[in-house]
Amino acid sequence: MHILLTRPLEDCSEMIIKFQSLGHQVSHLPLLIIEKINYEQINFSDFKGIIFTSANAVKFLDLKNVDKNLLCFCVGSATEKKARSVGFQNVISAEGNVENLKELVLQNFNQKDGNLIYISGETVSVDLDQQLLKEGYNIKRVINYRTIHNQNFDDKFVSELKLKMPDMVYIYSQNSALSFLNFIKIHQSESLWMNTNVMCIGEKTSSILNEIKWKKIFLFNPGEEEFLLYKI
């Protein structure tokens, strides 16, 4: 099977090796570039809990003054893995879903316990901080990275892709879907994807790609990538 992965290389290198070890051909088309944003100095002693909705939020956080024993809420397993790798000890993880993450916070952190800090990218699909404010929490959002659409694609790669179209493509966000749609239109390949299954995180992501004719669109959660191989 020919699989196309679209996350930055450091976020999908393990998956590339895994899929190749299973005998699949893997192509890599990074749709987004991740950039650090400089943010205000934070006094972490003011906070009793920290929330991450991506591994990039952990990656771009200056950790030298952070208490690693803070109660740490992560959106999914990849974010949890990154948080633990930099030393966070008290980590609670949702199943790759911001709504589940919100419920974990409600269940495990009382408003009276203190302030929360939410570290995120510039663009988020759910205003988690606003929702928790409405629930009575004191929460501060800090933005420490942004995503930029990749505009530079290797012509040789594109030509080879058109000759052997993928059986599966994984798309992880609305931003990625917009970038992928742009890639398809720039390279005038709209008619070439009819035998490709596209795997999307969430309906909002899949809806962006509805104007392209696919074999089938699947919705999935992070961690289910290998499981999806056996559904098609």
Side-chain angles (χ1 to χ4, degrees):
M1 191 181 298
H2 183 193
I3 300 166
L4 181 64
L5 298 178
T6 61
R7 301 181 81 186
L9 184 59
E10 66 179 297
D11 294 331
C12 65
S13 56
E14 290 183 10
M15 198 174 300
I16 290 173
I17 294 168
K18 175 68 173 176
F19 285 169
Q20 287 176 336
S21 73
L22 294 170
H24 301 291
Q25 177 187 346
V26 181
S27 296
H28 180 231
L29 178 73
L31 294 170
L32 301 175
I33 299 167
I34 313 299
E35 264 190 359
K36 180 178 180 178
I37 294 177
N38 292 324
Y39 55 88
E40 66 196 85
Q41 189 169 355
I42 303 165
N43 183 0
F44 282 94
S45 63
D46 291 341
F47 303 95
K48 298 299 182 184
I50 188 166
I51 301 173
F52 296 112
T53 47
S54 76
N56 285 314
V58 184
K59 175 184 176 182
F60 292 114
L61 183 65
D62 184 355
L63 294 160
K64 62 179 180 289
N65 295 317
V66 180
D67 178 5
K68 303 302 195 312
N69 289 309
L70 275 177
L71 185 56
C72 177
F73 295 94
C74 294
V75 71
S77 58
T79 307
E80 177 188 7
K81 183 178 179 181
K82 185 66 175 179
R84 291 191 185 277
S85 75
V86 299
F88 283 99
Q89 303 294 314
N90 195 6
V91 182
I92 300 175
S93 176
E95 297 175 356
N97 183 298
V98 177
E99 291 301 324
N100 290 343
L101 181 61
K102 176 187 170 184
E103 289 305 313
L104 278 181
V105 174
L106 295 177
Q107 292 167 15
N108 294 278
F109 195 92
N110 193 294
Q111 297 98 318
K112 298 175 183 176
D113 291 343
N115 300 328
L116 288 166
I117 186 165
Y118 169 37
I119 314 296
S120 78
E122 192 172 54
T123 304
V124 292
S125 57
V126 178
D127 291 322
L128 181 60
D129 57 325
Q130 296 303 311
Q131 292 190 16
L132 289 172
L133 280 169
K134 290 177 182 177
E135 297 284 352
Y137 287 84
N138 290 314
I139 182 168
K140 176 181 178 67
R141 181 184 174 197
V142 173
I143 297 169
N144 69 343
Y145 74 93
R146 66 167 61 92
T147 55
I148 300 169
H149 293 285
N150 186 8
Q151 303 287 349
N152 299 312
F153 300 105
D154 182 74
D155 289 339
K156 183 182 177 184
F157 172 86
V158 174
S159 296
E160 290 175 349
L161 193 70
K162 286 182 176 181
L163 289 172
K164 192 177 190 307
M165 293 298 288
D167 301 293
M168 296 177 70
V169 183
Y170 290 90
I171 305 294
Y172 284 82
S173 68
Q174 295 172 62
N175 245 346
S176 294
L178 287 167
S179 189
F180 191 39
L181 185 62
N182 184 54
F183 168 82
I184 291 170
K185 290 183 174 181
I186 285 174
H187 296 285
Q188 299 178 329
S189 63
E190 290 95 331
S191 64
L192 301 179
W193 299 92
M194 288 186 289
N195 292 313
T196 299
N197 294 287
V198 62
M199 312 302 185
C200 296
I201 289 186
E203 291 184 6
K204 290 181 180 178
T205 300
S206 68
S207 66
I208 292 167
L209 296 170
N210 277 340
E211 65 181 88
I212 304 298
K213 178 68 175 176
W214 307 95
K215 185 174 183 180
K216 193 170 181 180
I217 296 178
F218 292 86
L219 302 182
F220 78 104
N221 293 313
E224 296 178 348
E225 289 89 346
E226 186 178 347
F227 169 73
L228 287 173
L229 295 178
Y230 307 105
K231 288 190 70 174
I232 67 169

